[in-house]
Amino acid sequence: MKYYLIAGEASGDLHASHLMKSLKEFDDNAEFRFWGGDLMTAVGGTRVRHYRELAYMGFVPVLLHLPTILSNMRRCKRDIVDWQPDCVILVDYPGFNLTIAKYVKSKTNIPVYYYISPKIWAWKEYRIKNIRRDVDELFSILPFEVPFFEQRHHYPIHYVGNPTADEVREFLSAYEKTAVPTRPIIALLAGSRKQEIKDNLPAMMEAVSPYMSDYQVVLAGAPGIEKDYYDTFLRGKGIDVVYNQTYPLLAEAHAALVTSGTATLETCLFKVPQVVCYETPLPRLIGWLRKKVLRVKYISLVNLIADREVVTELVADTFSVANIRWELEKILDGPVRQSMLDDYEEISRRLGHQKAPEQTAKLIYTLLSNQ
């Protein structure tokens, strides 16, 4: 069958490439046409556009590139109609993908499948109307999304397992420790964008400074961030930085300071106690808006999956060097550390052991075969 996939950023390229590999296991004659990146290209098929031509974040960049964005949308709509795939598979990236879903649903009979649900539980909950109208099947990688969609909005979805859990399990099954560190490691995961690093890393470094005689502090370098940028913060501080080694670092770490995002879940799955740290501009205002505007109580995936505070989140008005240091002290040793490790076991249980790409591919192939 013919599968048309759209992934608009690096994480989507990764998840979509795994899904494509799994689809080929069920469908020997699978044909792919897609908007994505190098990982999808390596699997095979025809790439229409690279996600770098799509990924504009923030109000001003979107405004500046609006003609390009609109041109890409028109090209994508025409291309789907011209190619006539057996299905369209949308991967995350809701701003672009929900617009495409609306067009495909209104102008064609091609089924629309959505892999990695839009995070409407955090904001833009009104998008449920578009999803209900335009998406035939929704495949979720977060277990707490099932009650949100099915009980709150009466829209049935498929929980297919979590790709991050898959990746961590696969890594740990093959990982062999080389040498025992001379001192226990405190890992710093300060974000993947320059602005995040600029906002979070200096406070993290100051918070860990009293522990550097007893602990080795290691920063996980983000892909695409050059060494010179890190040097402006790290020069003369005695902190090591490693690149493309986040999983080996977490496999050896004793504790971690982590910004929000997938990194919090990865740290949990490696059984590393953590403090979630995320500085924002106008912290008091953001802290107030967080309580009044966001639909969820937490920002870390760990707490969202647990539906309670397993890891401390120091965000906006609670973010400070003193608070980071206080919370770090509690997870280096003692009952808070052990309680967090015990709670991590519950997170792993809730995620389950299904392999998300395989489960999704099986469901899609079965749905198409039964049409």
Side-chain angles (χ1 to χ4, degrees):
M1 285 179 277
K2 295 163 67 176
Y3 305 87
Y4 199 107
L5 298 95
I6 306 172
E9 51 204 343
S11 62
D13 179 40
L14 173 66
H15 295 313
S17 69
H18 290 160
L19 177 59
M20 290 163 68
K21 289 176 187 174
S22 294
L23 282 166
K24 289 174 77 170
E25 292 176 9
F26 289 96
D27 184 354
D28 293 336
N29 298 311
E31 293 181 57
F32 300 116
R33 191 171 176 88
F34 58 89
W35 297 54
D38 299 336
L39 296 175
M40 296 170 74
T41 304
V43 177
T46 302
R47 188 175 76 204
V48 183
R49 284 279 192 278
H50 199 287
Y51 68 77
R52 284 194 293 265
E53 299 176 60
L54 301 176
Y56 302 110
M57 303 289 287
F59 178 76
V60 172
V62 167
L63 199 61
L64 291 173
H65 294 93
L66 194 57
T68 302
I69 293 168
L70 294 175
S71 173
N72 280 331
M73 282 187 174
R74 289 192 295 269
R75 168 75 191 275
C76 186
K77 292 170 183 176
R78 285 198 308 269
D79 198 55
I80 291 169
V81 171
D82 290 345
W83 199 54
Q84 283 296 301
D86 290 283
C87 69
V88 172
I89 302 173
L90 309 172
V91 184
D92 205 355
Y93 203 59
F96 188 92
N97 276 336
L98 285 175
T99 302
I100 298 300
K102 180 180 179 181
Y103 177 84
V104 173
K105 199 65 181 173
S106 63
K107 301 295 184 182
T108 77
N109 293 316
I110 300 167
V112 175
Y113 302 142
Y114 214 121
Y115 179 50
I116 306 182
S117 318
K119 297 172 181 61
I120 65 170
W121 38 265
W123 57 84
K124 298 186 179 179
E125 191 170 353
Y126 61 84
R127 281 177 164 170
I128 186 62
K129 294 184 292 186
N130 305 64
I131 293 170
R132 184 181 284 114
R133 182 190 63 213
D134 303 326
V135 176
D136 293 283
E137 303 285 345
L138 191 62
F139 304 95
S140 164
I141 62 169
L142 296 169
F144 63 85
E145 290 183 335
V146 176
F148 173 83
F149 281 100
E150 295 192 346
Q151 295 173 21
R152 185 181 177 96
H153 292 292
H154 309 291
Y155 179 79
I157 69 171
H158 307 275
Y159 175 66
V160 292
N162 186 274
T164 301
D166 296 341
E167 289 156 15
V168 171
R169 276 194 297 267
E170 287 175 16
F171 174 86
L172 287 173
S173 68
Y175 180 70
E176 294 182 10
K177 292 194 175 190
T178 50
V180 178
T182 55
R183 291 172 292 162
I185 292 172
I186 297 175
L188 305 182
L189 282 71
S192 58
R193 301 186 185 95
K194 285 186 175 180
Q195 187 62 48
E196 285 181 327
I197 296 163
K198 175 177 173 289
D199 290 343
N200 292 290
L201 183 56
M204 287 178 165
M205 291 167 53
E206 189 176 346
V208 300
S209 59
Y211 303 100
M212 292 187 62
S213 59
D214 297 318
Y215 292 86
Q216 182 182 356
V217 180
V218 183
L219 171 67
I225 304 295
E226 58 274 13
K227 181 180 181 297
D228 288 348
Y229 187 75
Y230 283 118
D231 284 345
T232 61
F233 303 100
L234 299 179
R235 193 173 288 113
K237 300 294 185 180
I239 293 175
D240 300 315
V241 58
V242 295
Y243 295 93
N244 302 312
Q245 296 289 317
T246 300
Y247 279 14
L249 172 60
L250 288 173
E252 302 286 350
H254 180 75
L257 302 180
V258 189
T259 60
S260 186
T262 306
T264 63
L265 182 57
E266 290 172 328
T267 304
C268 161
L269 293 167
F270 275 96
K271 307 295 187 286
V272 180
Q274 64 185 297
V275 182
V276 176
C277 318
Y278 203 89
E279 187 181 33
T280 67
L282 304 172
R284 290 186 179 179
L285 175 61
I286 297 298
W288 181 84
L289 289 172
R290 185 183 167 208
K291 295 181 181 75
K292 300 295 182 182
V293 176
L294 284 183
R295 295 281 184 173
V296 290
K297 292 181 287 185
Y298 308 110
I299 68 162
S300 70
L301 286 175
V302 176
N303 290 343
L304 286 166
I305 292 167
D307 195 27
R308 59 189 174 86
E309 189 176 79
V310 169
V311 299
T312 300
E313 299 179 354
L314 302 177
V315 183
D317 52 339
T318 61
F319 180 98
S320 70
V321 171
N323 285 349
I324 296 170
R325 189 175 293 161
W326 172 248
E327 296 298 335
L328 175 60
E329 175 74 28
K330 291 192 287 188
I331 63 170
L332 291 177
D333 194 19
V336 174
R337 174 185 176 83
Q338 189 56 52
S339 175
M340 192 178 294
L341 290 171
D342 293 342
D343 288 337
Y344 280 176
E345 298 298 329
E346 173 65 13
I347 305 294
S348 296
R349 189 191 66 77
R350 291 192 179 195
L351 290 172
H353 287 80
Q354 299 178 82
K355 292 192 173 182
E358 291 179 13
Q359 184 71 7
T360 305
K362 180 180 178 181
L363 287 166
I364 288 175
Y365 184 71
T366 301
L367 287 163
L368 292 175
S369 299
N370 292 338
Q371 280 188 345

